[in-house]
Amino acid sequence: GVFSRGMELHEAVRSYEGRHDNAVYLEKIKAAMDCFITATHFVNSLELFSRNEELDEVQTHHLKYLLLPALLSDLSYRSGLEDRLQKVGAAQIYARDYLTRCKDYSVTDDESQTRDSGAVAQAGIVGQGAQAQAVHDRQARIEQYKRKREAEERLKALKEKVDAGVEDEEVVRDYGMSLLRTWMCRCEDQLQTISEEIKMLEHREKLIREGPSAPKPDKQEQPRKPFKPIVITHDKIKAGVFGAGYPSLPTMTLEEFYDEECKPVVQQYEEQQRAQHAQEQYRRTHGLDPPEPKDSSDDDDEQDDEEKLQKARAKDDWKDDHRRGWGNRMNQG
């Protein structure tokens, strides 16, 4: 399927050892993202997930589709330096969306994960000054690293069993859950890196804009269309705008939806009408209008009339040979 093909490409991207500006590497990233975006559309259309269900209610072979935002986040972050700020911003949105979904489904029961993610934010309140915050920072990173390493090791062990052909439902589901938890750790780790990079990129753009030698914008240059991430929707109500998992960033506008979904149908109908009109005009001009179909009931009526005529003639001939009263012998004394 398209998801399996995307996973193969993603594994090839993660294991790639060449230059990351190589055209082959970037093409694999683009192909993998196309697969995952297509898979996301399928998940949305089938409504596989709902905010009203618990994780135990999700079918085992559907667990992997919860990974789509995390996989798209990883690929977006790797997808080159061009338009870097947009790509890193998209990776941040995907990662946050994935962690939110995992929290909604209570993917992990490890309370330390929630505590560690908020440790940095609470450091300024609990600690007294920069030194205390640095201590909290360091402790949170250590705990996060340990949790990530444990998740990676468990995932590797379960993957070996699944690859060996183990079909036990419990093992397969445990593998799926381990995938979700491992990618939670990866997304948490990546969000910290993304946050730091976004600050640097925004600062760099600010310096370029406000610098004394900053080039004036070309009035003829058209602004680029912003990148719009696509994520899994919990349901149509939460989607709000044609499949967006967050209403503040819709995947398309009403005009774009019309152009993509409605306009082709309207154009096809109009083309069919024009073709039919042109055909009728041509037939009228050249006298090629097909004759009206002959009603079969007319043939039946003509046949009935012929039979009635034959009967009437036979009756007249009989009357000529048999005058009225010839056959009555009664009351003749």
Side-chain angles (χ1 to χ4, degrees), residues 189-200:
D189 192 22
Q190 184 165 276
L191 273 177
Q192 295 178 5
T193 306
I194 287 174
S195 180
E196 295 172 0
E197 184 172 351
I198 286 178
K199 290 179 182 178
M200 290 189 294

Side-chain angles (χ1 to χ4, degrees), residues 130-284:
Q131 184 176 2
Q133 183 167 346
V135 172
H136 280 275
D137 252 344
R138 182 173 179 275
Q139 186 63 29
R141 288 182 179 273
I142 290 173
E143 292 297 326
Q144 185 174 332
Y145 173 76
K146 289 180 179 179
R147 189 172 59 252
K148 181 180 178 182
R149 186 179 62 183
E150 291 173 0
E152 297 276 5
E153 290 176 354
R154 179 166 179 75
L155 177 64
K156 183 179 179 181
L158 289 170
K159 187 176 187 301
E160 291 177 355
K161 292 182 179 181
V162 173
D163 291 343
V166 176
E167 297 180 357
D168 182 77
E169 173 73 15
E170 186 175 350
V171 174
V172 176
R173 188 170 186 86
D174 197 11
Y175 172 68
M177 293 297 300
S178 182
L179 265 175
L180 295 178
R181 295 186 181 113
T182 299
W183 275 102
M184 283 187 72
C185 297
R186 291 174 181 174
C187 284
E188 285 179 343
D189 192 22
Q190 184 165 276
L191 273 177
Q192 295 178 5
T193 306
I194 287 174
S195 180
E196 295 172 0
E197 184 172 351
I198 286 178
K199 290 179 182 178
M200 290 189 294
L201 291 170
E202 289 177 343
H203 181 66
R204 178 176 175 273
E205 286 198 352
K206 183 179 179 181
L207 291 177
I208 294 175
R209 279 196 312 270
E210 299 177 356
S213 59
K216 295 182 179 180
D218 187 359
K219 294 182 179 180
Q220 301 296 330
E221 184 178 356
Q222 296 294 330
R224 293 188 179 182
K225 187 176 181 180
F227 180 83
K228 297 178 180 179
I230 302 173
V231 297
I232 303 172
T233 56
H234 282 300
D235 49 39
K236 289 185 177 178
I237 297 176
K238 185 173 181 181
V241 186
F242 307 114
Y246 28 82
S248 60
L249 186 59
T251 58
M252 62 179 70
T253 63
L254 289 173
E255 291 79 7
E256 290 172 334
F257 175 75
Y258 173 80
D259 291 339
E260 181 175 333
E261 301 292 339
C262 304
K263 192 173 181 179
V265 178
V266 174
Q267 289 177 344
Q268 183 179 4
Y269 175 76
E270 290 176 349
E271 289 175 1
Q272 291 176 350
Q273 292 295 317
R274 285 195 295 268
Q276 184 177 357
H277 178 72
Q279 186 177 11
E280 292 176 355
Q281 188 68 24
Y282 178 82
R283 287 182 176 276
R284 290 196 211 98

